[in-house]
Amino acid sequence: MKLSSSMHLGALALLAVALPQVASASTLENVKAADVVTCAVNGSRPGFSSVDGKGAWHGLDVDTCRAVAAAVLGDANKVKFLKTNNQTRLTALQTGEVDMTVANTTWTRSRDTDLGLDFMPPTFYDGQGLMLAKSLGVTKVAELDGASVCVRPSSTSERVVGDIQKKYNISMKLVVLEDQKEINTAFFGGRCDVAVQSTSGLSSTRASVAPNPDDYVILSEIFGKDPMGPVVRQDDPQWRDIVTWTVYTLFQAEESGVTSENVDQMKAESQDPAVRRLLGVDEAGGKGLGLTPDWAYNVVKQVGNYGEVYERNVGMDSPLKLPRGYNAQYFDGGLIYSPPL
């Protein structure tokens, strides 16, 4: 049966509604067009993402974003950071305001499956801890019955406090505050007895905010698992692969002994097949990602390997002085491991 013009247009309109909407451009295309990678960060967490007195960004999460910029744009400085909180860090990604989130977001099943997002390889493994004043004389979590606790809404910490109360059959008073700055003011001002956060976050706060860091103790008991790394939208597998393999490049470079200082020599002289693949000498590994052959070289040259990134931001070369622990390479007993190239 031959359709009239009006019927034909109507059928096309219905078909357009029925078909899934396709994005006009991929994340990679948008990033190249903007000539910048935009990342959501915490912004108030020294060691992970914070701004110094000169307006320069620093931190492990910041360097992760820079590594992606080096891979995609060939310049680690082509980055833009959006300061977010627990309520906005993933929303900004869902709405397309940012290209990725690196805001110390714990990878959980519900976040991964319910929000249309994909979690990349963790760049930092952690757990939740409790910090309080030494003057309270508390040495165990079970002794905190009746204590007041500062937490952020919708955070892993808030859930952990609920689990602690059930586990130890104690009652704790929640003081819910919107952002970390408010929590720091309340905790160090005596409004709440306990601060709950990942141990790395507590170490960061104690080192940078406490009037006298030695007056505060982080209890030895650790709760839950906090694998934290980049997060991207679920609708762009190419961008997911780019961010994933950028992280693995940081890992593999450390495993292979390639640093920002020796990368040129290693590229020119190394006969190690893993190094030659990593740096694009034998197999560039960028064609399927839509990147240039020297993308991984740019990452290591401009940002360093994972060990360099870790040490200068949160390790022994930083005020936090966090031991590698879970964040050591797998052959040193840690969880840092890259699939083969």
Side-chain angles (χ1 to χ4, degrees):
M1 181 176 67
K2 186 175 181 179
L3 296 174
S4 66
S5 297
S6 60
M7 291 177 65
H8 182 68
L9 290 173
L12 288 176
L14 288 173
L15 182 62
V17 171
L19 289 174
Q21 298 301 304
V22 179
S24 58
S26 68
T27 305
L28 178 60
E29 291 171 330
N30 288 333
V31 166
K32 287 183 174 180
D35 202 32
V36 67
V37 176
T38 303
C39 295
V41 295
N42 177 290
S44 299
R45 194 172 186 181
F48 292 86
S49 61
S50 60
V51 185
D52 64 20
K54 297 181 180 179
W57 285 88
H58 301 280
L60 190 149
D61 290 341
V62 167
D63 280 345
T64 302
C65 184
R66 286 186 170 135
V68 173
V72 175
L73 302 173
D75 187 345
N77 293 317
K78 290 185 175 181
V79 288
K80 179 181 178 181
F81 299 105
L82 176 66
K83 186 175 180 179
T84 58
N85 57 34
N86 281 13
Q87 287 70 51
T88 61
R89 60 188 175 181
L90 296 180
T91 303
L93 179 61
Q94 292 170 316
T95 59
E97 192 174 0
V98 298
D99 304 309
M100 57 188 281
T101 288
V102 275
N104 51 277
T105 307
T106 302
W107 184 358
T108 69
R109 182 178 65 182
S110 59
R111 287 172 176 167
D112 198 359
T113 59
D114 296 347
L115 303 180
L117 302 174
D118 278 332
F119 285 72
M120 303 297 92
T123 53
F124 194 88
Y125 291 93
D126 205 349
Q128 295 284 306
L130 287 77
M131 180 168 66
L132 57 150
K134 287 182 180 178
S135 60
L136 293 178
V138 172
T139 59
K140 297 180 180 179
V141 173
E143 300 170 357
L144 290 173
D145 189 31
S148 56
V149 187
C150 282
V151 295
R152 286 180 293 179
S154 305
S155 65
T156 303
S157 302
E158 186 178 29
R159 175 183 56 78
V160 165
V161 171
D163 291 345
I164 287 173
Q165 294 182 89
K166 293 177 182 177
K167 179 177 180 179
Y168 293 101
N169 192 27
I170 60 176
S171 177
M172 305 171 83
K173 178 184 176 182
L174 291 184
V175 180
V176 181
L177 300 168
E178 287 297 325
D179 60 41
Q180 192 58 47
K181 188 174 180 179
E182 286 184 274
I183 287 180
N184 294 344
T185 300
F187 174 69
F188 293 115
R191 183 177 169 188
C192 48
D193 302 313
V194 182
V196 182
Q197 199 180 4
S198 62
T199 60
S200 58
L202 293 175
S203 298
S204 173
T205 299
R206 182 172 61 177
S208 61
V209 182
N212 182 9
D214 291 336
D215 289 343
Y216 298 88
V217 61
I218 299 173
L219 298 181
S220 60
E221 295 154 283
I222 305 298
F223 299 89
K225 295 178 284 187
D226 270 331
M228 297 178 287
V231 190
V232 299
R233 287 180 292 276
Q234 204 170 53
D235 61 356
D236 194 335
Q238 181 189 34
W239 186 248
R240 180 183 65 221
D241 286 346
I242 288 171
V243 177
T244 294
W245 283 100
T246 297
V247 172
Y248 284 144
T249 290
L250 297 173
F251 294 173
Q252 183 62 49
E254 182 185 21
E255 179 182 340
S256 296
V258 183
T259 71
S260 58
E261 298 296 327
N262 70 14
V263 64
D264 289 304
Q265 180 182 359
M266 295 288 270
K267 184 176 183 180
E269 300 176 6
S270 178
Q271 297 304 309
D272 184 337
V275 172
R276 294 172 68 84
R277 292 189 187 103
L278 174 71
L279 300 179
V281 178
D282 289 341
E283 301 174 29
K287 185 176 180 181
L289 298 174
L291 305 179
T292 60
D294 61 350
W295 71 272
Y297 163 84
N298 289 333
V299 170
V300 181
K301 180 67 175 178
Q302 297 179 34
V303 181
N305 65 34
Y306 179 75
E308 292 178 277
V309 170
Y310 186 97
E311 291 303 330
R312 68 171 171 257
N313 289 305
V314 299
M316 295 307 166
D317 294 336
S318 76
L320 273 65
K321 299 191 182 305
L322 295 175
R324 288 291 293 263
Y326 290 139
N327 299 293
Q329 286 280 343
Y330 68 97
F331 49 78
D332 286 329
L335 298 176
I336 299 302
Y337 181 97
S338 170
L341 305 184

